[in-house]
Amino acid sequence: MADREAILVLTTGGTIVSHYDGEGRKRYPDLSASAEPLVAMAERAGQRAEVEAIASVGSQDMGRIVWHDLVARIRRAAEEDRWRGVVVTHGTDTLEETAFLLELLVDPPIALVLTGAMLAADNPSSDGPANFAAALSVAAHVRTAAQGALVVMDDEIHAARRVFKRATHGARAFASSGEGPVGFVTAGYVEYGSAAAPFPHRFGQVEPALLPEVGLLACHADMNPHLCRATLAVMPGGVVVAGLGDGNVPAPIAHELAAFVARGGIVVRSSRVDGGRVPCGGEIDDDLMGFVAANDLSPCKARLLLQCLLADGETERERIQAAFDA
Ligand code: ASP
C-alpha cells in the first residue's frame, strides 16, 4: 500500500485507554493490550487506521524515554509513503507539551494530530471515541500537514503553540490562548478558520534523549531566594521563570537570576498567567539583566524551546531571543 490513505495511530497511554479497578483507581493497560481500545474505536469511526503502541503511561510520567520512541517513529513515518497522517493518543496532563515538542522536532512535516480523553475508556460517557474519531478526520484532511502539530479535543482544533489545559475535570478542558481554536470538527467535517502558524524553527536533528536539563521556577508572592538558588545550582544551562503578570520576578529572585546569567546561564522570563504574552522590556530591563522574554509561549513550552535551542548548540542570548520572537 503506497497510496498515503491510512492513518498511523500511535498510542502512549492516558485516560483514553484507561479503566478503573474495583477500588476506584485509574489503571493503564499493559503495553501489549494498550492498542485494543483504539483499534475498536477506529473500526467504529470507519477509518483506515493502523495502531501501534509506543507506551502505556499516564502523561504525568511522560518524558524523554517515551518521546524518543515517539519522535523516532513519527520521523520514520514522515519518510514512508503510506501514511496520510499520524494521530498520537496521549494523557491530557502533558498533552500540550508533547504536542509542542513534536512540532519542534518533526521535520519534514506530516499531518500530526494529538488527542486524549477526560473520561476513562470504561466510562459509558467517555469522550475518547468522539475525540479520536475527530482526530482521525483532522489527520486525513488535506490542509493539516501544513499546520504543525494540532490538538483535537471536544471537536475543536488547537495549534500546539497556543493550546493549554484549562480545567482539571469535565468536558471543554482545553482552550487556545489568543484567537482561540484554529478550526472545528462537525460530525467528521473539518473546517479550518485561522491558520495555525506553526513554529518556524524546526530541530530535525535533535534527539529527545539528549535534551539538556532546564529548570522551571514558579514565582509567587513572598518568594524565598533559597529555592531559586537551589534550582539554579542543579540546572547550569538554563532556567525558565514562570513569572508574575507579564513576567515580573521579585527583586531578590532577579538578583539571583542576574548572577546566574553572569555565570553563563540562560534565563527565560515567561508568565504564570494563562495566555499571557511576555514581551522584552516592561518592568524588567531584559537587555540590562541579560534575560530572554518568552513572548507568547507558556512556561512549559518555553522550557521545551530553550532545551531544543541549547541541544542545537545555541548559546547566544540575542539569537535565543530571536527564536522566541519568531
Ligand atoms: N493523568 C492522566 C494523563 O495525563 C489524565 C488524562 O489523561 O486525562 O494521562
Side-chain angles (χ1 to χ4, degrees):
M1 181 169 58
D3 55 4
R4 292 189 185 275
E5 281 306 312
I7 307 288
L8 175 63
V9 177
L10 301 174
T11 167
T12 66
T15 294
I16 191 167
V17 294
S18 73
H19 61 274
Y20 279 84
D21 67 13
E23 280 152 21
R25 263 186 237 287
K26 192 184 278 184
R27 299 283 178 215
Y28 302 100
D30 290 342
L31 186 62
S32 59
S34 62
E36 283 164 23
L38 297 164
V39 171
M41 287 183 217
E43 271 165 22
R44 256 180 285 153
Q47 292 267 8
R48 263 171 66 186
E50 287 180 33
V51 187
E52 294 179 19
I54 299 287
S56 187
V57 296
S59 69
Q60 58 272 33
D61 291 318
M62 188 54 62
R64 58 188 63 219
I65 295 172
V66 180
W67 283 335
H68 173 270
D69 294 348
L70 190 57
V71 168
R73 184 64 189 99
I74 299 171
R75 282 177 176 162
R76 229 174 45 246
E79 305 290 351
E80 293 166 353
D81 60 4
R82 49 185 312 225
W83 308 113
R84 191 165 180 84
V86 177
V87 169
V88 176
T89 59
H90 197 285
T92 61
D93 290 353
T94 59
L95 184 55
E96 67 213 64
E97 285 170 72
T98 297
F100 187 60
L101 185 68
L102 293 180
E103 177 157 299
L104 294 177
L105 296 187
V106 174
D107 189 26
I110 181 171
L112 183 52
V113 180
L114 294 90
T115 192
M118 293 300 287
L119 296 173
D122 60 353
N123 185 319
S125 313
S126 177
D127 51 336
N131 287 341
F132 185 61
L136 290 173
S137 300
V138 174
H141 193 275
V142 67
R143 280 184 60 193
T144 298
Q147 313 278 338
L150 299 172
V151 168
V152 173
M153 293 290 287
D154 297 305
D155 286 338
E156 292 180 336
I157 310 170
H158 300 276
R161 182 172 182 157
R162 304 211 304 252
V163 67
F164 64 98
K165 189 174 184 179
R166 70 171 168 197
T168 52
H169 293 100
R172 310 214 80 73
F174 281 80
S176 282
S177 60
E179 289 153 28
V182 294
F184 299 90
V185 186
T186 312
Y189 178 74
V190 177
E191 197 176 7
Y192 280 109
S194 54
F199 203 77
H201 284 253
R202 298 288 164 125
F203 302 87
Q205 306 302 320
V206 167
E207 295 297 337
L210 300 179
L211 289 173
E213 294 290 351
V214 166
L216 181 51
L217 196 65
C219 285
H220 52 84
D222 196 31
M223 190 169 171
N224 186 323
H226 289 302
L227 176 68
C228 176
R229 227 170 283 150
T231 303
L232 299 178
V234 293
M235 302 285 162
V239 69
V240 172
V241 180
L244 309 164
D246 63 352
N248 289 315
V249 292
I253 307 300
H255 180 76
E256 297 292 336
L257 294 173
F260 180 65
V261 169
R263 298 196 293 275
I266 301 288
V267 172
V268 177
R269 285 192 309 118
S270 62
S271 174
R272 69 177 190 173
V273 178
D274 274 339
R277 185 169 168 266
V278 176
C280 254
E283 289 187 58
I284 291 181
D285 187 337
D286 288 302
D287 290 336
L288 186 72
M289 304 294 281
F291 299 162
V292 171
N295 192 13
D296 62 346
L297 290 183
S298 67
C300 62
K301 290 178 196 168
R303 198 185 82 86
L304 291 168
L305 178 57
L306 182 56
Q307 284 183 296
C308 289
L309 288 162
L310 293 174
D312 213 26
E314 195 54 80
T315 52
E316 285 292 317
R317 177 196 160 234
E318 283 72 20
R319 290 166 60 96
I320 292 175
Q321 183 65 68
F324 274 86
D325 289 339

